Every structure is written in structure tokens, then in C-alpha cells.
Amino acid sequence: MKNVMDTLRARGFIKQTVYEDELYEKLGTESVPFYTGFDPTADSLHVGHFMQLVAMRHMQEAGHKPIILIGGGTGMVGDPSGRTDMRSMMTKETVAHHVECFKKQMSRFIRFDGENGAIIVNNADWLSELNYIDFLREIGVHFSVNKMLTAECFKSRMEKGLSFLEFNYMLMQAYDFLVLNRKYGCLLELGGDDQWSNILAGADLIRRKEHKSAFAMTFTLLTTSEGKKMGKTQKGAVWLDESKTSPYEFYQYWRNTADEDVEKCMKLLTFLPLDEIAELTAHRDERMNRAKEVLAYELTKMVHGEEKAEKAQSEARGAFGGGGDMPEKEIAKDTPNLIGALVAAGLAKSNGEARRLIEQGGVSVNGERATDGNMPLPAEDFVLAKGKKARVKIVFKG
């Protein structure tokens, strides 16, 4: 059995582990049930979840069993990790809807059949039934408040105020690990490095309560070379749901990756062999554009399928002079002016934003910079561009 830790380390995933030698031996000699948690705070996964899904697939392909934990219970409390504000609480009905959406998207990454097929569990099934006094006696006794307050997820919230509701989050996540260990023999929790304190608490709780091995592993966060989290645009998060982020927009997000981030993204987010990645990213010149196309295509195919990835690539090439078909946007024939066209085509959110874009010289019509938002539109179909990276063919209807 191939040791997946070697794969994950070579591709740049691993940030921290606990009892590493013992974990390495287990991963190399037996099938290890492991879990990753997802809080259902929206009806779609986004780029921030991408690494966890890819890591789970690496683990599964190496013979280990994924347990996907949906935080239906913890999601109604709110995780303070990496936040400066408190998450809003959700109803049970909202959580249930989000869980169904997640399942569909995860099936593109994780296999649910076969010997080590993934399972999905919802922690609301056990957290909602807890007796508070029993929980304090069984679980709370093992946690030191002084030690908890040194955790980064709590320290970052102390100045603005940390609610007691959120303070319970670490205990609840640790309890999840304990329940999964008892029910499914789960030995390992995976997560982003901002979850280190919570994950470590769970492994420690199992060792205290069950007197047996349990492990933690965190991954580097998906950030740019400047340290900014990836997966954000001016329009907001980059979603895996095509109704929120279209396949073309998804493709373009990755096609526009900075040169210095392409190799890292290829290692972390694709399944291309490392020697192929090294060859694609060997030259920091115009040849890097080919690597960006490969990155964008591979990720779009993984999320949206081959047909939509092909279409997105063709549209991108058409929009930026590389052959293919330029993406089209239909607008009403009676759209009054350029400002209206920008809004109707989705290149601006409001008339005010459209006007500012034009005033700043960021809009062109058929390759000519526009200076007047009230200018009449061309009589026939035309090319409308915002900056260097957003270009569409405007088609009139009606």
C-alpha cells in the first residue's frame, strides 16, 4: 500500500501532525478511517473547501476510508476559527437543504461505493440529543479553560468578544471525533491549519477517554504568494455551484492565477503527476500561460465535467484572441446606453459601478475605450470588455 503521507507531503499539503511516526506507520500498513468536517453555512461548497476534497481523494485512493462529517449541529453554533465576527445561526431546515447540495458536489471528488467507500454523517444526529449535565461530566471535565484560551481561534476573538456559545465549539468538535471513533473506528481528523486547536483537542480527548491512538493532521491554507486567501473575487466567493459561479467564470478565475502561484495550485488541486507539473511550470515567461490553461481546464473538468470545461476553455480563448468561441450575453434591443449594457451583461452590479468603470477608463466597445456612459450602443452585436480579463460578445434580443 502506497503511503499517502509521502504523496501529501510531496504535493505541499501537510502543515502539522501529531504522533507523526505512529501515524505514518498506520497509513502505510492498514486502512485508516478518517474524517473531515464541513459546516453547512451555504448551499454550495466553494474554493476554500477544494483542498479538503482533493486531500480526501488522495487518502481514499491510497486505501483509506473517508467519513464526511456535515456540521448540522455545530453549524447552528458557529465556529470562531479564523473569524473576527460571530456566524449567524441557521435553522434545521436550512441546514438540511445545504446538506443535500453538498452531497451532490462531493460525489465528483469522493467515491461512495466499494470497500472503502465514503460515508456522510451529520453531527446533529448526536449533538441535538445531548444532555448538558452529562456532557459536562463526561467531556467538559477533560478541558482546561486556561489552555483553551491560548488557542489561536479564541485569542483572535477576545478583543471583540467571544460568546459562550462559540466557546463550546471546541468541545463539540472534539466530541464529534470521539463519537466517530466509537461508531466507525475513526482514527484521524483532517482539516485546514486554522482548525489545529480543535482537531488536536479531539485526538487528545480520544486518548484520554478511550486510552488508544488518535491522530490529527492539518493542511496549509490555500493562499496566494502574498498571503491572501484564494477563492475570492470582486463578486465574492468562487463557488462550485454553477448557478453561483458559472463554469466560464470558474475557468477564468484559475486562468488568471498569478505566475508564482501556478505550481503550488497544480500540486495541491490537480492530480497531474509531479514531473508533468514541474515541466509545465519550469519557465517563468509567456510559456506559463500554457500551464495556466492546463490548471484552469483540469479544475473546471473536475468540478463541472469535461464538456463544460471544453466550452469554458473555448470561450476564454475566443474572448482573448486564442481561437474558440467568445462567451455571449443577451441584452434587450432597447437597452438605452452603455451603462445599461454593462449592468445587463453582468459586468457591473449597478449603474453607479458601471459609471465609475467608464470614468476610470476600464471599459471598451469593439476594442475602443469608452468615455461616455450615455453613449448609444452599436446597431449590431458587439464586443464589450471590462478591464483586461472580462470580455463578452453582446447579442441583442427582442
Side-chain angles (χ1 to χ4, degrees):
M1 183 184 294
K2 182 179 180 181
N3 198 309
V4 71
M5 277 187 74
D6 292 331
T7 300
L8 294 174
R9 199 174 294 285
R11 299 185 81 95
F13 277 87
I14 299 176
K15 184 73 173 181
Q16 297 188 78
T17 59
V18 64
Y19 306 108
E20 182 173 329
D21 292 342
E22 187 182 353
L23 175 59
Y24 185 88
E25 182 179 351
K26 280 190 175 293
L27 290 172
T29 57
E30 60 186 87
S31 179
V32 174
F34 67 95
Y35 98 90
T36 301
F38 296 84
D39 274 344
T41 49
D43 59 359
S44 171
L45 299 170
H46 54 72
V47 166
H49 298 113
F50 215 119
M51 273 184 59
Q52 310 302 322
L53 295 169
V54 172
M56 292 180 85
R57 180 161 157 182
H58 280 300
M59 292 282 293
Q60 186 177 50
E61 289 183 350
H64 308 293
K65 184 177 181 65
I67 301 169
I68 298 167
L69 177 76
I70 301 295
T74 45
M76 288 188 283
V77 173
D79 176 11
S81 301
R83 297 182 65 86
T84 57
D85 59 343
M86 181 174 168
R87 280 194 174 127
S88 58
M89 289 179 283
M90 297 175 293
T91 65
K92 291 182 179 179
E93 292 73 22
T94 298
V95 170
H97 171 67
H98 293 177
V99 166
E100 289 304 311
C101 296
F102 280 19
K103 287 180 181 178
K104 294 177 183 178
Q105 293 176 342
M106 289 175 175
S107 65
R108 287 194 170 272
F109 296 81
I110 309 298
R111 179 173 48 79
F112 288 92
D113 56 4
E115 186 175 345
N116 64 328
I119 60 171
I120 296 179
V121 295
N122 186 339
N123 65 9
D125 293 345
W126 54 83
L127 292 180
S128 61
E129 301 299 321
L130 282 177
N131 177 292
Y132 189 58
I133 293 176
D134 290 344
F135 181 73
L136 290 178
R137 288 171 61 89
E138 182 188 1
I139 306 302
V141 69
H142 296 288
F143 285 80
S144 160
V145 171
N146 290 351
K147 186 176 180 181
M148 289 174 69
L149 288 174
T150 65
E152 194 60 39
C153 61
F154 292 137
K155 284 167 62 178
S156 61
R157 289 294 311 280
M158 290 299 287
E159 288 185 10
K160 287 200 170 185
L162 177 70
S163 73
F164 183 71
L165 189 69
E166 293 171 293
F167 196 60
N168 277 268
Y169 193 92
M170 181 181 288
L171 277 71
M172 295 170 75
Q173 186 168 333
Y175 184 66
D176 286 342
F177 197 174
L178 178 63
V179 170
L180 295 178
N181 179 267
R182 289 171 170 173
K183 292 184 70 171
Y184 305 105
C186 182
L187 297 178
L188 170 64
E189 181 178 356
L190 309 179
D193 198 51
D194 56 349
Q195 289 287 317
W196 175 246
S197 298
N198 293 336
I199 295 174
L200 194 60
D204 183 62
L205 180 63
I206 290 170
R207 287 174 177 260
R208 287 172 181 269
K209 292 286 296 180
E210 306 298 298
H211 306 291
K212 61 183 180 182
S213 298
F215 306 93
M217 182 189 297
T218 61
F219 303 132
T220 182
L221 301 179
L222 188 61
T223 59
T224 67
S225 56
E226 299 173 342
K228 297 178 181 178
K229 276 191 177 182
M230 297 190 75
K232 294 285 187 181
T233 68
Q234 289 183 338
K235 294 175 65 176
V238 180
W239 301 95
L240 306 195
D241 182 340
E242 66 179 273
S243 68
K244 293 176 177 291
T245 300
S246 71
Y248 174 75
E249 291 171 323
F250 188 84
Y251 178 96
Q252 278 297 94
Y253 176 81
W254 298 108
R255 175 62 181 81
N256 293 326
T257 301
D259 288 5
E260 54 269 28
D261 296 323
V262 175
E263 182 178 10
K264 177 178 70 175
C265 288
M266 280 189 155
K267 287 180 176 180
L268 292 173
L269 304 179
T270 78
F271 295 90
L272 296 173
L274 291 176
D275 55 354
E276 183 178 342
I277 293 172
E279 185 177 342
L280 282 165
T281 58
H283 305 284
R284 299 303 169 96
D285 53 26
E286 70 278 355
R287 284 171 285 187
M288 186 63 77
N289 288 325
R290 170 59 183 156
K292 293 180 183 182
E293 278 201 334
V294 172
L295 172 67
Y297 177 81
E298 289 293 324
L299 298 188
T300 307
K301 181 174 71 172
M302 195 185 308
V303 173
H304 297 294
E306 187 171 0
E307 183 179 342
K308 290 177 181 176
E310 294 278 2
K311 185 173 186 291
Q313 186 170 72
S314 177
E315 289 178 343
R317 287 174 174 173
F320 297 98
D325 302 314
M326 184 178 296
E328 295 183 355
K329 291 285 187 178
E330 282 192 347
I331 69 171
K333 185 71 175 177
D334 59 359
T335 301
N337 52 29
L338 181 57
I339 288 175
L342 284 164
V343 174
L347 297 179
K349 294 180 180 179
S350 65
N351 288 350
E353 181 182 341
R355 187 175 291 106
R356 285 192 296 274
L357 286 169
I358 295 166
E359 290 172 352
Q360 293 164 4
V363 177
S364 66
V365 175
N366 287 332
E368 297 289 331
R369 180 174 294 179
T371 58
D372 180 7
N374 293 315
M375 67 174 279
L377 301 178
E380 304 294 336
D381 299 346
F382 64 97
V383 176
L384 180 61
K386 180 181 77 170
K388 296 179 179 179
K389 297 179 179 179
R391 191 176 304 172
V392 298
K393 181 179 179 181
I394 298 299
V395 177
F396 291 111
K397 64 177 180 180

